[in-house]
Amino acid sequence: MEIIDCHTHLVLPGDRRDNQPWKTFEEIIAIQRAAGITGAIGGGYYMQGYYSPETITYENLVAHNRRIAAVYDASEGFYIPGAEIRPVLGEQACDLARFCHDELGMCFTGEMFDHWHGYVWGTPEYYRLIECIIDLRMVPLIHCDNPVVHDIGTRYPEGRFMIAHMGDCKGENKIDAVTNYPNLVLEISGSEIMIAGRIKQAVETLGVERVVFGSDVAACDPVLSVLCVNRSGLSETEQAQVFAGSFRKLQKWTEKGTDTFSGR
Ligand SMILES: [Zn+2]
């Protein structure tokens, strides 16, 4: 069965991430393959920039995104490269999105956050970046609290977004927050994936086409994430849609294909 992991924190070839269970590129891809995952959107934290916003420059992120793009070949096509773009770059954030899309062929992003070092949701820079991403028909993966879910859902009906995790940082249920916005697809990684019935609830509430699989492999064991979907009570057909079909539909949208979500 095709299984696409829409939420991967890569370790780039040659790097090490000592504070995580899977510390190298080889270890990450091995555990994903052991889980039965057949492909993944691979985003990569810009590690220096995580802690030191002053190192987030256009040039540094161009170089970093080139390394992310190179994982497609390094993984023999397993990783679909996900862009690393920061609104803190201001006007250059749009240039970087365009570079990632036009030059590197990226149609998705790695996980972005509504607040992070140098990130604040609701600033003109953030909104402008999102508008550029929509113009390019890229699909970002955004980790955010429910008020931001509602803002994205209302503000950008013409875009497509993957909203990361089934619960937000305050423990609020994100399934309900996403419900009314057909432009939003729920990515199910995180601790809530372990709660019996939560995946089925997401599918019943949103429609199976608005639920995509992700493991959040830096924080979670993808073997367990896949097992949770297998044991969720979804039919084989529904599992196939969550594991890959819903992602393929988003991918088609990035190619300017027609698409309509049957979400309620
Ligand atoms: Zn997250």
Side-chain angles (χ1 to χ4, degrees):
M1 185 185 279
E2 184 181 36
I3 303 180
I4 305 294
D5 183 347
C6 295
H7 190 144
T8 293
H9 298 290
L10 277 173
V11 180
L12 293 172
D15 288 355
R16 278 189 72 81
R17 191 168 52 210
D18 280 320
N19 62 348
Q20 301 284 347
W22 302 283
K23 300 180 191 333
T24 64
F25 176 76
E26 290 76 16
E27 287 176 13
I28 292 267
I29 194 167
I31 190 68
Q32 287 182 299
R33 287 196 159 124
I37 291 166
T38 55
I41 300 173
Y45 286 146
Y46 180 57
M47 295 303 283
Q48 301 92 319
Y50 191 103
Y51 298 107
S52 317
E54 64 276 9
T55 70
I56 302 171
T57 65
Y58 180 80
E59 291 71 23
N60 285 352
L61 285 181
V62 161
H64 184 66
N65 278 290
R66 283 189 194 283
R67 292 187 68 203
I68 294 173
V71 300
Y72 178 81
D73 286 334
S75 65
E76 295 167 333
F78 181 93
Y79 287 120
I80 300 155
E84 173 82 13
I85 308 166
R86 303 291 184 87
V88 73
L89 291 175
E91 279 301 320
Q92 286 187 310
C94 273
D95 296 340
L96 184 66
R98 200 167 302 108
F99 170 81
C100 289
H101 180 269
D102 294 353
E103 302 295 321
L104 302 179
M106 293 169 164
C107 296
F108 294 88
T109 73
E111 188 179 33
M112 296 169 66
F113 297 83
D114 60 356
H115 56 278
W116 206 22
H117 299 278
Y119 274 70
V120 187
W121 181 261
T123 57
E125 297 77 40
Y126 211 138
Y127 287 148
R128 208 170 310 123
L129 171 58
I130 294 296
E131 284 152 22
C132 290
I133 285 175
I134 294 169
D135 282 347
L136 293 163
R137 288 181 88 92
M138 295 174 79
V139 178
L141 171 66
I142 302 186
H143 174 133
C144 56
D145 285 343
N146 281 345
V148 176
V149 172
H150 292 297
D151 195 31
I152 299 172
T154 320
R155 193 178 278 266
Y156 302 116
E158 73 280 23
R160 292 290 180 274
F161 300 84
M162 288 190 283
I163 302 295
H165 314 304
M166 285 188 281
D168 78 4
C169 295
K170 301 183 178 78
E172 299 285 330
N173 181 347
K174 217 177 269 181
I175 300 169
D176 295 336
V178 164
T179 307
N180 290 330
Y181 309 108
N183 50 335
L184 306 185
V185 170
L186 188 67
E187 178 277 304
I188 58 175
S189 70
S191 53
E192 293 82 9
I193 202 171
M194 306 291 179
I195 300 170
R198 193 58 76 81
I199 299 167
K200 199 164 171 39
Q201 184 197 346
V203 166
E204 285 171 351
T205 307
L206 304 174
V208 71
E209 294 187 344
R210 288 178 57 204
V211 180
V212 294
F213 174 74
S215 75
D216 198 0
V217 64
C220 305
D221 187 330
V223 174
L224 297 180
S225 305
V226 170
L227 195 60
C228 285
V229 178
N230 293 151
R231 291 172 47 81
S232 63
L234 297 181
S235 70
E236 285 278 318
T237 310
E238 287 171 325
Q239 287 186 45
Q241 184 69 27
V242 168
F243 275 138
S246 301
F247 162 75
R248 292 294 178 199
K249 187 160 182 149
L250 279 176
Q251 196 176 37
K252 194 154 269 164
W253 181 84
T254 69
E255 294 162 358
K256 302 185 170 41
T258 52
D259 104 302
T260 46
F261 280 106
S262 63
R264 290 152 221 168

